[in-house]
Amino acid sequence: MAVGFRFRDFVPEDQPEKGFESLFKLFMQLVTITSGDVGEALQWLNELDKQYGLTDDQYGMGNFIDDLKKKGYIDENEQEKGEFKITPKTEQGIRKSALEEIFGKLKKSSTGNHRTPHTGQGDEQSTDLREFRFGDSLEQIQMSESIRNAQLNHGLSGDDDFMLTEGDLEVRENEHKSQTSTVLMIDISHSMILYGEDRITPAKKVAMALAELVKQKYPKDFLDVIVFGNDAWQIEVKDLPYLQVGPYHTNTVAGLELAMDLLRKRKTPNKQIFMITDGKPTCLKEGNGYYKNAFGLDRKVVNKTLNLAAAARRIKIPITTFMITSDPYLQKFVEEFTEVNQGKAYYSGLKGLGHLVFEDYKKNRRKTL
């Protein structure tokens, strides 16, 4: 159900763009809001069409639905005709759309891993040349430059006089790159839809953008995704568009414990956590039950959460928090948590996710993106 969602903020151009592409952009937004429910998304699109005239006699909603099927964005249920579901192509398209919306200002870079200041054997050559050193591989030797050095250093008067020594060899430096293991934590507590605000949709967009960013820019990295409410559990990247809020409190401790357990199993030298939330923790697991307090910042819950932030810092796991609300009260915990971890935080309101306030507590730096 989409109870509580209102689309009155949609203001089309004076002459709305017609055709598949304009409808498709709206469809991708709506199918994210409806957690992958194609039927509900199309119903909302029909309502918007009635109100704003998105289609005309040349291209109607029926044509659009046919094109969605032909282009492989939706599949029809074989048992129940007229019931549609999104395809893996659409799932990836939603992630790419979210990436463009949120991190569109990032400059493109070649696919690879995270750069380090060290040099050594790696998987991508740089433009830098240097003298041969013991331990360099044969593949690094640049023959043209090495032969030229031999001619300059020793001369060449005849076929039998050519001499190439170790001192003539030049190699192309390989950039040492390092894999990173990332755990993406997503808050699905009930507060993500409370107070008349839809926070889960922007949270999903941020999650999908981060997942797509990691997959595109750092394909050799490990990425695990977990959600947390009363408890925490792992999901697949492909499940992100379908996320829904549950009748849960916010057990940030359970999420962090699971994230750190997953990272301990990874053998990569670099590890990090991305946490997407709307603020304060309100729940702890105690035995077979739960300790809950949603009124203010509970000392017991907050202290245990901050202890985990400090523990992550000690084992060199930075935590970057994406705060999906600009409410100063809800930001209070995130600020304290990030300072303890010496991590980073992005603060965003519900409108315009591309507008982020970035705070790096380790370097004491704050800027607007």
Side-chain angles (χ1 to χ4, degrees):
M1 296 181 65
V3 176
F5 297 118
R6 297 179 181 177
F7 298 96
R8 61 186 179 187
D9 288 335
F10 174 72
V11 180
E13 301 292 335
D14 294 336
Q15 294 183 334
E17 184 183 354
K18 309 288 184 180
F20 177 82
E21 290 302 326
S22 59
L23 291 173
F24 184 65
K25 291 176 184 177
L26 274 175
F27 172 76
M28 294 291 270
Q29 294 285 340
L30 292 171
V31 85
T32 302
I33 292 171
T34 61
S35 299
D37 189 326
V38 175
E40 188 177 355
L42 290 174
Q43 286 177 0
W44 279 110
L45 196 55
N46 263 316
E47 292 300 318
L48 291 171
D49 183 26
K50 290 177 185 177
Q51 189 170 355
Y52 298 107
L54 303 177
T55 65
D56 53 28
D57 292 340
Q58 283 70 45
Y59 194 87
M61 286 297 298
N63 301 116
F64 176 65
I65 294 171
D66 285 340
D67 282 345
L68 286 175
K69 291 190 286 186
K70 289 176 184 176
K71 295 175 183 291
Y73 290 108
I74 61 174
D75 281 336
E76 190 167 5
N77 190 323
E78 294 181 0
Q79 284 73 33
E80 297 186 36
K81 294 294 182 182
E83 183 177 315
F84 301 107
K85 63 178 182 178
I86 62 175
T87 63
K89 180 179 180 180
T90 306
E91 293 168 355
Q92 184 180 32
I94 293 172
R95 295 197 303 269
K96 287 184 176 180
S97 176
L99 174 62
E100 189 173 317
E101 178 182 351
I102 295 169
F103 296 113
K105 295 178 182 178
L106 292 179
K107 294 181 179 179
K108 293 182 180 179
S109 64
S110 58
T111 299
N113 294 326
H114 308 272
R115 296 178 184 272
T116 72
H118 309 290
T119 58
Q121 189 167 351
D123 60 359
E124 184 174 317
Q125 287 190 336
S126 75
T127 58
D128 299 328
L129 295 175
R130 60 167 172 78
E131 293 180 356
F132 177 87
R133 291 198 294 260
F134 179 78
D136 290 331
S137 66
L138 293 177
E139 290 79 11
Q140 288 179 261
I141 297 175
Q142 301 301 293
M143 293 309 300
S144 297
E145 288 81 1
S146 300
I147 292 172
R148 183 193 60 204
N149 291 339
Q151 292 175 338
L152 292 173
N153 293 336
H154 312 296
L156 186 62
S157 58
D159 292 340
D160 297 329
D161 293 334
F162 177 75
M163 182 171 61
L164 178 69
T165 67
E166 181 179 328
D168 303 321
L169 298 178
E170 279 194 32
V171 300
R172 191 172 299 281
E173 187 67 86
N174 276 346
E175 292 180 336
H176 181 73
K177 302 212 172 176
S178 181
Q179 284 182 305
T180 294
S181 293
T182 300
V183 173
L184 178 57
M185 291 175 53
I186 308 163
D187 183 350
I188 58 168
S189 63
H190 193 50
S191 64
M192 297 291 276
I193 56 169
L194 283 179
Y195 318 117
E197 292 184 337
D198 170 24
R199 295 172 184 166
I200 190 61
T201 297
K204 285 193 292 186
K205 287 184 178 182
V206 171
M208 291 186 290
L210 288 170
E212 193 64 19
L213 181 68
V214 171
K215 291 171 75 69
Q216 284 190 16
K217 288 192 67 178
Y218 310 112
K220 295 181 181 180
D221 279 10
F222 294 101
L223 175 65
D224 295 296
V225 183
I226 64 176
V227 294
F228 62 103
N230 288 352
D231 298 290
W233 60 94
Q234 194 169 1
I235 66 169
E236 300 294 328
V237 170
K238 65 181 179 62
D239 297 326
L240 287 173
Y242 308 101
L243 279 186
Q244 293 181 321
V245 171
Y248 309 124
H249 285 257
T250 309
N251 192 343
T252 310
V253 166
L256 290 171
E257 287 176 340
L258 178 56
M260 292 169 72
D261 285 344
L262 290 171
L263 290 174
R264 287 189 188 98
K265 297 175 184 177
R266 298 296 188 189
K267 303 304 181 185
T268 54
N270 300 303
K271 302 173 183 183
Q272 63 183 350
I273 296 172
F274 290 153
M275 180 171 68
I276 303 170
T277 183
D278 66 344
K280 63 183 181 183
T282 61
C283 176
L284 294 173
K285 186 74 179 290
E286 291 188 336
N288 294 324
Y290 300 94
Y291 174 88
K292 304 173 185 177
N293 180 8
F295 301 96
L297 291 167
D298 184 281
R299 179 191 58 79
K300 181 176 179 179
V301 178
V302 168
N303 285 347
K304 190 158 186 180
T305 310
L306 294 178
N307 287 341
L308 278 176
R313 177 186 177 184
R314 286 193 295 272
I315 58 176
K316 295 181 170 50
I317 297 179
I319 302 171
T320 299
T321 304
F322 287 79
M323 176 69 174
I324 308 295
T325 181
S326 55
D327 189 321
Y329 164 70
L330 295 174
Q331 287 182 8
K332 182 178 179 181
F333 165 73
V334 173
E335 291 173 353
E336 188 174 3
F337 176 89
T338 310
E339 187 172 9
V340 168
N341 178 255
Q342 286 294 285
K344 301 172 184 176
Y346 290 86
Y347 300 95
S348 174
L350 300 180
K351 296 180 180 179
L353 285 175
H355 180 82
L356 298 169
V357 177
F358 170 71
E359 192 153 13
D360 186 336
Y361 281 82
K362 187 173 184 179
K363 296 182 180 179
N364 194 25
R365 180 187 306 165
R366 184 181 178 91
K367 63 180 179 180
T368 300
L369 303 177

